[in-house]
Amino acid sequence: MSKFKTTKLLGSYDINRKIIRISHEIIEKNTDVNSIFLVGILSRGEPLATRIKSQIEKITSKNVQVGSLDITFHRDDFRERLVVPQVKGTSIEGNIDDKILILVDDVLYTGRTIRAALDELNSFGRPSKIQLAVLVDRGHREVPIKADFIGANIPTHEGEHVKVELEEIDENDSVSLINYKDTK
């Protein structure tokens, strides 16, 4: 009998704590807060970037730029996917040249999404530095990518999936581990 088991790992309170910690780490690593430009990878990286922006501004009283990045056509598996992609469009207002650009995503897995994001960013300018902030790092890289800021390390095994839900998209904040292996 093929079923799947879902285990909730983080709730709203936990996710909020992770975002606050990531925001503090970003400030500590980047003393020139005015140079920070947060870019959330669609779809769940965008609300995370907005939350981090809010926290940084709350802590420092300085304005931080934020944008979103649609990597749909830069994915290396674009032609292999069976679903028709939902293109939402990239929204980066302002110049990213010489900025400390911080890519924000919900889950870091193989690294291919981040590689695609870096390809897309090339058409917008040349930041002085690019850093990566993720809510969850689940391991299993296929591309040599490493996050600078990590909310939670959740090592996974074959047949497992990390599902992130955010209030802005899913009407609920949670991180769950889904095990698709056969259960008895």
Side-chain angles (χ1 to χ4, degrees), residues 30-45:
N30 301 291
T31 53
D32 184 9
V33 175
N34 294 320
S35 292
I36 293 174
F37 198 124
L38 297 163
V39 177
I41 299 172
L42 293 172
S43 64
R44 285 172 184 78

Side-chain angles (χ1 to χ4, degrees), residues 85-184:
Q86 273 191 301
V87 179
K88 297 178 183 167
T90 293
S91 174
I92 296 179
E93 303 295 324
N95 189 347
I96 67 169
D97 287 335
D98 300 318
K99 295 287 188 181
I100 299 166
L101 195 138
I102 301 174
L103 277 173
V104 181
D105 205 6
D106 58 345
V107 178
L108 177 56
Y109 179 37
T110 63
R112 293 182 181 278
T113 296
I114 305 308
R115 187 213 43 87
L118 293 170
D119 287 349
E120 171 71 6
L121 281 172
N122 281 333
S123 58
F124 289 94
R126 184 178 166 90
S128 65
K129 197 184 293 187
I130 299 176
Q131 298 170 346
L132 176 60
V134 296
L135 182 61
V136 175
D137 183 346
R138 63 174 281 197
H140 304 284
R141 277 332 155 262
E142 295 174 1
V143 178
I145 301 281
K146 181 181 177 210
D148 298 279
F149 313 103
I150 302 167
N153 282 294
I154 301 175
T156 58
H157 300 287
E158 185 180 328
E160 291 179 327
H161 175 76
V162 173
K163 181 180 181 185
V164 173
E165 293 181 312
L166 297 175
E167 182 79 34
E168 297 88 340
I169 296 170
D170 309 295
E171 300 176 8
N172 148 48
D173 277 353
S174 70
V175 175
S176 301
L177 183 65
I178 302 171
N179 189 332
Y180 290 105
K181 287 185 177 180
D182 288 346
T183 57
K184 301 199 189 252

